[in-house]
């Protein structure tokens, strides 16, 4: 009896997890992936600039 209950709960958990994943995927497909995706280009440019400045400081110490 205990094994059946455990298997049923695991099966229900797997189904609900799958359903939540599909719902999230469909929502993001319809509404986009949020503001962090739009800001990636600016963040990457800022990181690249910081790396270039650090490399220049290493090559040309004050």
């Amino acid at each position: 009896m205990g094994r059946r209950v455990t298997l049923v709960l695991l099966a229900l958990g797997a189904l609900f997890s799958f359903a939540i994943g599909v719902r999230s995927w469909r929502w993001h497909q319809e509404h986009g992936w949020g503001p962090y995706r739009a800001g990636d280009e600016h963040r990457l440019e800022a990181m690249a600039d910081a790396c270039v400045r650090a490399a220049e400081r290493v090559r040309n110490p004050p």
Side-chain angles (χ1 to χ4, degrees):
M1 180 72 178
R3 184 178 271 178
R4 281 187 184 178
V5 171
T6 303
L7 288 175
V8 168
L9 289 176
L10 286 173
L12 287 174
L15 287 174
F16 283 126
S17 297
F18 183 76
I20 288 170
V22 170
R23 180 176 177 237
S24 174
W25 177 68
R26 289 184 68 190
W27 190 89
H28 281 104
Q29 222 179 10
E30 183 177 341
H31 299 290
W33 292 94
Y36 64 87
R37 187 163 185 143
D40 276 350
E41 187 174 325
H42 299 293
R43 190 177 76 231
L44 289 176
E45 286 294 324
M47 288 181 358
D49 290 339
C51 290
V52 168
R53 285 193 308 269
E56 287 173 348
R57 278 190 302 232
V58 169
R59 283 186 73 180
N60 304 321

